């Protein structure tokens, strides 16, 4: 196995559907500019409530990616 050096970034995704969708949206958007993403970790989950119902999810994640040679 090759040795790797990782860099981490913190992202917050949002969704009206679910926390899972918020994570997927954050990763999909980051993939437009970040290469070689390898892992993520959920740091915080929060939401917005209206009329006693969850209306919006926000999930903050840390994403690790390998640096290019």
């Amino acid at each position: 196995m090759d040795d790797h050096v990782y860099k981490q970034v913190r992202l917050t995704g949002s969704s009206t559907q679910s926390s899972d969708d918020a994570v997927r949206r954050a990763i999909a958007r980051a993939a437009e500019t970040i290469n070689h993403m390898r892992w993520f970790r959920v740091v915080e989950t929060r939401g917005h409530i209206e009329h006693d119902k969850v209306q919006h999810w926000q999930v903050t994640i840390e994403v690790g990616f390998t640096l290019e040679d």
Side-chain angles (χ1 to χ4, degrees):
M1 180 173 151
D2 293 333
D3 293 331
H4 295 288
V5 173
Y6 294 93
K7 182 173 178 91
Q8 296 177 34
V9 295
R10 190 173 276 216
L11 308 168
T12 300
S14 61
S15 171
T16 57
Q17 303 302 311
S18 69
S19 58
D20 185 61
D21 189 51
V23 170
R24 292 178 190 280
R25 287 175 179 270
I27 291 172
R29 177 62 181 88
E32 294 176 15
T33 58
I34 299 172
N35 297 318
H36 312 298
M37 288 187 287
R38 300 291 185 232
W39 55 266
F40 74 93
R41 175 175 64 149
V42 174
V43 176
E44 181 179 23
T45 302
R46 56 187 181 275
H48 177 85
I49 300 170
E50 280 185 29
H51 307 292
D52 300 327
K53 294 183 180 177
V54 174
Q55 295 297 317
H56 206 93
W57 293 89
Q58 290 183 321
V59 181
T60 300
I61 60 175
E62 289 179 350
V63 175
F65 59 96
T66 55
L67 297 175
E68 294 181 2
D69 291 333

